[in-house]
């Protein structure tokens, strides 16, 4: 099959969150099955590191029409691990940060240029796999303008929702101006939602299969609590929607191989390695050095989705106990300030690192005894999967992918690979952390069993990529 992936972020070139991780890993896994895989992303000239820029090959250029705008598209490429990456270059649109206020126009351009790229390359595409609202115009524009393009004639569109919260809203006026679509597209059963154009909605309507990144999230978004206002269209197209759990790239995240951590270790005997990593991190972050201290990690975008409001309410109660807490991430200033304030009040217990640092992230996974992921909603979540592999027992709220991957320890059956709570409130969070710490302090054997069980689990991409291939195959049959 000729499979094209379209994404606003792709690891290792440009990433702001889990979408980048998925687009870094899934195409490689699919290519390993023997398919022709192409990944298309914007050429963010100020974001992509020099070490990658210098490797790119200039393929040529063409012009694309963003309605009345006639715009340059430079094409750069890179072949790596069986995948061909295409970077679409237009400095006017993609200088500066990855995301900005002008995203509606930037991603309208990217969608149009992406479809033109397939034609320009003259590859007969089988699958166009789009991701999140930023590529959501691709199915719509394909429907409107590419019915006769031979390169796209047999192609089917898969649209993956990584996060329903970001939908790509614009006024109908702006949408008309950016796309040149006819009025036919702006009705309540197509792009129109509450009087405005909604790209996410259009993508759901005009793709052949909709996927989301965990089975539980696929179900949750049919419910008003999680549907972000799009419940009607989601339920209407439920028949073509499926949840496929993301995997982890163990070539990047494996404590036995990880070069970014001080001591490597595996699931057979994690204790010594983890303690070495813990004391090293305590030294680095200026926390009291003590290998026995229970260390809890929070690595997260600091946005309300991540359950930081209940964490704020529960923090004092958690910090009354004998613990250390290491926080890493950036986001909304109110949460950044909240984390800094916690560290100011508890300098001997909390280290708040309000920036993003990949090396530090690896060190935290390797050092921590627990990772906290109290999300309000979580389409899949990667933190808990990495945490499992690194023996940092996850403590999570039961939602989306967290619910599908973390089973709370049950004293009767002695099953479980972590700890979880159902309702989104501070009380249950604090109680669950207290429960987890109880095992850590007074029933070490149980803690170690839970820890090792998680480390042995396999959430690699092999299984997930097979499920995507199934989806592709079914569409083409
Ligand atoms: C989004 C979701 C996250 C998911 C990721 C990759 O960032 O918030 O839960 O893991 O996309 O699919």
């Amino acid at each position: 099959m000729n499979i094209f992936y379209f994404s606003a972020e792709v690891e290792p070139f440009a990433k702001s969150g889990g979408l980048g991780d998925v687009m870094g890993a899934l195409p490689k896994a699919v290519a390993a099955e023997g398919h022709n895989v192409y990944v298309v992303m914007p050429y963010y000239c100020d974001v992509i590191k020099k070490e990658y820029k210098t490797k790119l090959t200039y393929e040529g250029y063409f012009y694309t029409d963003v309605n009345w705008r006639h715009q340059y598209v430079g094409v750069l490429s890179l072949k790596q691990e069986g995948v061909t990456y295409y970077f679409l270059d237009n400095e006017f649109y993609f200088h500066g940060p990855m995301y900005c206020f002008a995203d509606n126009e930037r991603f309208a351009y990217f969608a149009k240029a992406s479809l033109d790229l397939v034609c320009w390359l003259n590859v007969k595409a089988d699958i166009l796999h789009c991701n999140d609202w930023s590529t959501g115009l691709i199915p719509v524009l394909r429907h409107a303008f590419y019915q006769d393009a031979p390169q796209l004639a047999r192609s089917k569109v898969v649209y993956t929702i990584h996060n329903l919260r970001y939908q790509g809203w614009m006024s109908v006026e702006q949408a008309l101006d950016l796309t040149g679509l006819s009025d036919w597209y702006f009705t309540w059963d197509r792009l129109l939602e509450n009087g405005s154009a909604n790209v996410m909605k259009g993508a759901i309507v005009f793709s052949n299969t909709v996927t989301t990144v965990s089975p539980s999230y696929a179900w949750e978004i049919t419910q008003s609590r999680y549907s972000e206002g799009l419940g009607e269209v989601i339920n209407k197209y439920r028949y073509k929607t499926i949840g496929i759990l993301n995997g982890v790239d163990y070539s990047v995240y494996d404590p036995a191989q990880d070069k970014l951590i001080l001591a490597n270790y595996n699931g057979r005997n994690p204790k010594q390695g983890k303690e070495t990593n813990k004391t090293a991190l305590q030294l680095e972050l200026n926390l009291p050095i003590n290998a026995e201290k229970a260390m809890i990690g929070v690595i997260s975008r600091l946005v309300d989705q991540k359950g930081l409001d209940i964490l704020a309410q529960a923090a004092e109660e958690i910090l009354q106990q004998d613990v250390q807490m290491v926080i890493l991430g950036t986001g909304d200033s109110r949460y950044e300030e909240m984390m800094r304030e916690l560290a100011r009040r508890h300098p001997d217990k909390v280290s708040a690192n309000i920036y993003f640092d990949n090396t530090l992230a690896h060190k935290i996974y390797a050092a921590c005894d627990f990772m906290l992921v109290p999300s309000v909603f979580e389409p899949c979540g990667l933190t808990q999967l990495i945490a499992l592999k690194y023996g940092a027992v996850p403590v999570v709220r039961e939602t989306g992918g967290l619910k599908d991957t973390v089973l709370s320890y049950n004293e009767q059956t002695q099953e479980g690979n972590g700890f979880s709570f159902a309702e989104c409130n501070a009380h249950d969070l604090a109680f669950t952390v207290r429960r987890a710490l109880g095992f850590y302090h007074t029933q070490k054997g149980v803690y170690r069993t839970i820890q090792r069980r998680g480390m042995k689990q396999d959430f690699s991409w092999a299984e997930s990529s097979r499920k995507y291939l199934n989806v592709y195959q079914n569409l083409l049959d």
Side-chain angles (χ1 to χ4, degrees):
M1 281 185 264
N2 292 325
I3 303 164
F4 282 83
Y5 292 92
F6 303 97
S7 176
E9 24 186 298
V10 181
E11 161 87 344
F13 311 110
K15 166 183 134 174
S16 80
L19 168 62
D21 289 300
V22 173
M23 282 298 111
L26 172 63
K28 283 195 254 171
V30 167
E33 301 288 317
H35 300 280
N36 301 322
V37 174
Y38 308 88
V39 176
V40 185
M41 68 177 286
Y43 183 68
Y44 301 106
C45 49
D46 299 330
V47 175
I48 299 173
K49 289 206 194 86
K50 209 173 161 198
E51 59 172 303
Y52 298 113
K53 278 179 159 177
T54 53
K55 285 198 210 157
L56 306 185
T57 308
Y58 174 71
E59 300 281 348
Y61 71 95
F62 56 87
Y63 276 82
T64 198
D65 292 326
V66 185
N67 196 10
W68 52 269
R69 303 164 189 78
H70 195 56
Q71 302 289 28
Y72 170 88
V73 187
V75 182
L76 299 154
S77 76
L78 176 68
K79 270 203 173 100
Q80 197 166 283
E81 294 181 72
V83 175
T84 306
Y85 297 88
Y86 286 111
F87 300 82
L88 303 187
D89 175 29
N90 180 309
E91 213 180 316
F92 167 68
Y93 285 126
F94 294 124
H95 76 277
M98 290 173 66
Y99 299 109
C100 72
F101 64 92
D103 281 355
N104 287 349
E105 180 168 342
R106 295 164 81 225
F107 290 112
Y109 160 83
F110 182 65
K112 190 68 184 354
S114 291
L115 288 160
D116 284 341
L117 173 77
V118 179
C119 300
W120 185 77
L121 292 170
N122 205 12
V123 173
K124 286 212 162 51
D126 293 297
I127 296 295
L128 309 176
H129 190 149
C130 309
N131 296 277
D132 272 355
W133 86 266
S134 40
T135 55
L137 278 175
I138 292 175
V140 185
L141 297 176
R142 180 188 175 283
H143 183 270
F145 302 119
Y146 294 83
Q147 298 280 0
D148 298 327
Q151 298 88 340
L152 292 164
R154 66 172 190 219
S155 66
K156 300 284 187 219
V157 184
V158 175
Y159 179 65
T160 297
I161 301 171
H162 296 263
N163 195 330
L164 193 58
R165 179 153 292 180
Y166 308 101
Q167 300 177 353
W169 287 96
M170 52 188 114
S171 66
V172 172
E173 233 180 344
Q174 188 188 22
L176 288 167
D177 178 62
L178 290 177
T179 60
L181 290 166
S182 67
D183 290 343
W184 184 85
Y185 286 90
F186 298 95
T187 58
W188 65 273
D189 53 346
R190 299 191 183 105
L191 268 77
L192 198 65
E193 182 70 27
N194 274 334
S196 295
N198 186 301
V199 176
M200 177 73 81
K201 181 173 180 178
I204 293 170
V205 174
F206 289 101
S207 50
N208 299 95
T209 297
V210 176
T211 77
T212 180
V213 289
S214 70
S216 283
Y217 192 60
W219 180 81
E220 285 172 350
I221 59 174
T222 66
Q223 308 295 305
S224 59
R225 182 175 175 187
Y226 294 98
S227 66
E228 305 286 345
L230 293 185
E232 204 176 319
V233 70
I234 285 165
N235 277 290
K236 179 171 174 193
Y237 292 104
R238 207 172 158 171
Y239 69 89
K240 63 172 186 185
T241 305
I242 163 178
I244 300 176
L245 204 62
N246 288 335
V248 193
D249 189 344
Y250 289 132
S251 69
V252 179
Y253 294 109
D254 176 3
Q257 319 270 347
D258 193 332
K259 292 197 178 60
L260 301 175
I261 61 178
L262 186 62
N264 290 118
Y265 58 93
N266 59 34
R268 254 169 287 128
N269 189 12
K271 183 169 183 288
Q272 212 190 343
K274 285 196 69 84
E275 286 186 357
T276 307
N277 291 315
K278 189 194 288 182
T279 48
L281 188 66
Q282 289 167 330
L283 185 67
E284 182 177 338
L285 300 180
N286 242 329
L287 289 167
I289 295 174
N290 179 348
E292 307 279 287
K293 203 59 94 192
M295 189 185 267
I296 303 177
V298 177
I299 300 181
S300 181
R301 279 186 295 125
L302 302 178
V303 295
D304 62 358
Q305 170 193 345
K306 300 295 178 177
L308 301 168
D309 293 302
I310 61 169
L311 180 57
Q313 290 163 25
E316 289 301 328
E317 193 179 332
I318 293 171
L319 290 167
Q320 276 163 26
Q321 300 167 71
D322 190 19
V323 289
Q324 291 179 344
M325 202 162 180
V326 178
I327 300 155
L328 175 65
T330 60
D332 295 351
S333 51
R334 73 185 169 117
Y335 294 121
E336 294 187 342
E337 200 33 54
M338 183 181 109
M339 297 303 179
R340 287 197 191 99
E341 177 60 26
L342 268 187
R344 271 196 290 273
R345 275 208 304 270
H346 304 273
D348 54 337
K349 288 190 169 178
V350 178
S351 166
N353 307 279
I354 309 305
Y355 45 84
F356 199 77
D357 175 342
N358 186 47
T359 305
L360 184 57
H362 283 247
K363 290 176 180 171
I364 294 172
Y365 285 115
C368 282
D369 304 292
F370 298 99
M371 269 326 261
L372 206 53
V373 194
S375 305
V376 180
F377 71 95
E378 196 62 76
C380 178
L382 189 58
T383 315
Q384 82 279 14
L385 299 180
I386 302 172
L388 285 167
K389 186 72 179 172
Y390 280 70
V393 173
V395 179
V396 309
R397 191 175 92 76
E398 291 155 23
T399 181
L402 297 170
K403 188 172 173 182
D404 291 341
T405 55
V406 177
L407 180 65
S408 202
Y409 180 68
N410 178 318
E411 283 174 271
Q412 261 83 55
T413 62
Q414 302 189 352
E415 285 172 333
N417 61 357
F419 297 91
S420 67
F421 55 101
E423 282 312 312
C424 200
N425 70 60
H427 208 70
D428 292 352
L429 166 58
F431 173 83
T432 307
V433 171
R434 187 182 290 278
R435 178 169 177 245
L437 289 172
F439 287 103
Y440 182 84
H441 285 128
T442 61
Q443 288 181 265
K444 261 283 159 56
V446 174
Y447 171 80
R448 293 272 171 231
T449 309
I450 297 169
Q451 180 188 45
R452 275 196 225 107
R453 190 176 285 149
M455 294 184 76
K456 282 195 204 119
Q457 281 183 291
D458 182 6
F459 290 103
S460 63
W461 273 102
E463 175 83 11
S464 318
S465 62
R466 245 172 267 134
K467 291 192 174 143
Y468 279 107
L469 279 167
N470 250 334
V471 168
Y472 303 160
Q473 204 67 63
N474 285 339
L475 284 174
L476 297 172
D477 283 347

